[in-house]
Amino acid sequence: MLRTTLRNVLAHKARLVMTALAVCLGVAFVSGTLVFADSSAAAYRAAASKNFADIAVTVTPKDPPPGSAASGHADALDDALARKLAAVPGAAAVRPSVDGSATLNAADGTPLRAGKSWANLAGAYVPGKDGRDSRYPLVEGHAPRNADELAVDSGTAEAGHFTLGDPITLATDGPVMTKRLVGIVTTQDTRVTAGGTLALFDKATAQRLFASPGHYTGIDLSAAPGTDQFQLAERVGTVLPPDRAEATSGAAQATQQATYVDTVTRGYAKLPLIFAGVALFIGSFLIVNTFTMLVTRRTREIALLRAIGASRRQVVRSVLAEAALLGLVASAAGFLLGLGIAAVLPDVLSTAQDTLPDGPLVIGPRPVLAALGVGVGVTVLAAWLPSRRAAAIAPVEAMRATEQPPSPARSRIRGAVGLALLVLGGGLLISLTGAKDASVENLQSALLGCGILAVAMIVLAPLLAGPVIRLTGRLTGRLGVTGRLARENALRDPRRTAATASALMISTALVAGLAVIGNSTGQALDRQAADGLAADYVISTRTPTTSIDPNAAHRVAGTTGVRTAAAVADSTLFIGGNVRQISGIDPTTADTVLKLHFLSGSAKDLGPGRIALSEAIAREHGLHTGDHIQGHMGRNQQPTQYTVVGVYQDNPVAHDALGARTEVQKNSFTPGSVQRILIRTDDGTATRALEDRLRTAVGNNPLLTVQDRAALVHEAAGTVGNLLTLTYGLLALGLVITTLGIVNTLAMSVAERTREIGVLRAIGMDRAGIQRMIQLESLTIAAFGTLLGLLGGVFGAWAVGALANGAVAQYTLALPWGTLLLVCLLSLAIGVAAAVVPARRAAALSPLEAVATT
């Protein structure tokens, strides 16, 4: 049986290549993603280890006890403590540090990597006895010596197009500053090498910005030779002020930092894994179909083996061994391809604003085992059902015919199971449409319903093939004899047709569903970003902790081209045990910059102790205009009774509640600050010149954004960009695997119908007719899969999208007709293209040789 298995593999090697390619693609994405993840993690760890290579212990201020009124112990670390630490036995050197955050403007005035505030680092250049700071080796210029000088790392200099002597505008957490670039350094800090920036000040300036004069945010100690860093940390702890400072080993610091950066960038590995899962799922249909057709063609051969003594178990083992051998070869090829994917992923995923650290490929046991497990496991599982079907055929019955149509009883069982799954999956999805709650539980139920629905479509596909192809085949039937023959060929074996079309059906359903959800969500976000806003420009902060200088609001109001500039103070409102967002506005300008639709009351009644609530919040608490509610605002912990003076339709720009700006500012966590400025222009239009003037009015502060309505809409639409990228990626991947499946099926079908094709040629059909017949058959199969996929995908998107009302206001189903049409055309084009090689092979058959084939 082993020799028979090897002979079968070699005899059908050309047909098995297509199946191996499907397995290879899935394995490549899985192994490549795992190698990429391991390599990235190793690069982060290596960088972190270098950064903390000479740091044995780090001393930092200790957080105050929970509930304490103290904001921290920023004054715990000073020069006196540094001298005490230097006297600790085993301490070789002590280096104080001052760390914070700063966002820079590039040379062209645009914010530099402002979207990564977690990695926009700033600190002090603290020289040692040799006049250098070993953490930041200088490569050009000199270290900053006074408040007007600045140094940056080489990556920041390259990204911002800075050269020595350039003025650089930056902001920490307040007004814009301008410094002169005097030095360029290198750093191994993973937060910087992973895409952040680094700005270095002289010690006095950094202390004034991030700590207080004479104090530090951390003190690093290096250990003397022979001193364990954990022992040194214990000794340091004995001299620290109780409850005010703590010591952490350098190894723990490195691990914490590497883990943090790895967590922030973990999403990079998810997208390739999704592609891997889809490739394997769709490819499994190709594997099942290939082995089913191979077993069908070898029915007489299997029957002969059974007749001469082979048992059913031996037949099953033979087919599974063949599948395992195929999976092993495909896994090896897929793993090598995966290494190539892992090598190029950093370049593909890195951008000027978001870079990944460099490092060698790390090939551990996990990717190797995953490649073998996925490739061999999926292939063997996919071949298990055909092997059992082959072993179940009686020898005498198998010798009598080469094709064994399914029994009526089996068809009825399939229909009953498929119908039950259809009712279960469809019913679950329909039951969720009334929830309109995008909770994790509902989303998981929706995904489960989609999965059950997909399985139901796969089970019912052979039963639906007949009526659907007869309906769609009317179009091909009008093309003459070749069209009618193509339709009958597709109907000859509904199971094979359905299995071939299943891959296209699943990929089309995925793409159609994601496209509908993405388009509907994008349009809802567009409306959400603009419908509640009457202003032409919005100036806002990039981070929640940043505020806008109130004087900047006055400068904006005086800018040429500005008719109205309304400052908005955002804060928190604690009512009913919940935390809500409240926007403080000037009642006289509210209607000018906001589209407020009051169901009752008016914004003009806002004042001390008087607030307006959104419709959702008022309904949640059962409040109406004129009612009273207890709560407190911002940093004010004293309970206050508020009067509800109005209820307005939900407005994302106005947030959950509205109050008078003076009261919100007074109780804000940053008293007197504002977080947004809403601007109406003289003529209601936005121009680049006016935008530049507005940026100048706020001092070109990189912590602030200046956006017109179009930019707001574009930013909102950008939140679904990953979904659309995934959609088109899945479309391409599904079409590739589907093409392989159709080519494989048609090639084997042509081989089975050699004598039939010879008869057609003998009675007068020319080669062009043969080619046209095969191509129309492929087109019919593609149309069947595309139709079922579109129907299933749109239905699933409708059901899942209904939950989006709980997360995205104004969500309505919006079909992307252009995208759906493109999917249809591409799917049908794949059907035509996939038939080119099998059609040419069929047309090249000699009539006499084909008729003589046994």
Side-chain angles (χ1 to χ4, degrees), residues 188 210 335 365 537 550:
Q188 295 297 328
F210 308 122
F335 184 76
Y537 279 98

Side-chain angles (χ1 to χ4, degrees), residues 197-394:
T197 60
L198 175 65
L200 296 176
F201 305 87
D202 68 287
K203 184 174 72 172
T205 302
Q207 288 177 329
R208 177 173 54 83
L209 291 173
F210 308 122
S212 60
H215 296 89
Y216 305 99
T217 60
I219 300 177
D220 299 327
L221 291 84
S222 58
T227 302
D228 181 77
Q229 60 178 254
F230 297 103
Q231 293 178 348
L232 181 60
E234 292 180 359
R235 297 171 187 170
V236 167
T238 61
V239 302
L240 295 178
D243 300 326
R244 291 172 58 82
E246 59 185 350
T248 307
S249 67
Q253 288 277 318
T255 301
Q256 291 173 6
Q257 179 171 302
T259 301
Y260 174 71
V261 177
D262 181 59
T263 301
V264 172
T265 56
R266 186 176 297 168
Y268 290 118
K270 293 182 179 179
L271 190 61
L273 280 178
I274 293 175
F275 283 111
V278 172
L280 289 172
F281 183 67
I282 298 177
S284 63
F285 295 102
L286 173 57
I287 300 169
V288 171
N289 202 27
T290 299
F291 276 96
T292 300
M293 295 178 69
L294 287 174
V295 169
T296 301
R297 288 205 66 198
R298 290 155 46 192
T299 301
R300 290 186 176 180
E301 174 188 326
I302 294 173
L304 181 59
L305 290 174
R306 292 289 312 283
I308 62 176
S311 65
R312 291 186 176 184
R313 183 174 298 179
Q314 285 180 311
V315 171
V316 172
R317 288 176 179 176
S318 174
V319 176
L320 293 183
E322 185 176 339
L325 184 58
L326 172 67
L328 186 62
V329 174
S331 297
F335 184 76
L336 294 177
L337 180 60
L339 294 181
I341 292 176
V344 301
L345 271 178
D347 294 330
V348 172
L349 297 177
S350 296
T351 65
Q353 300 294 322
D354 198 0
T355 57
L356 297 177
D358 294 327
L361 289 181
V362 176
I363 305 175
R366 187 175 65 154
V368 177
L369 294 177
L372 292 175
V374 168
V376 178
V378 169
T379 309
V380 170
L381 286 176
W384 178 74
L385 185 60
S387 68
R388 286 182 56 87
R389 188 179 300 163
I393 301 175

Side-chain angles (χ1 to χ4, degrees), residues 101 565 595:
S101 176
K595 292 181 179 178

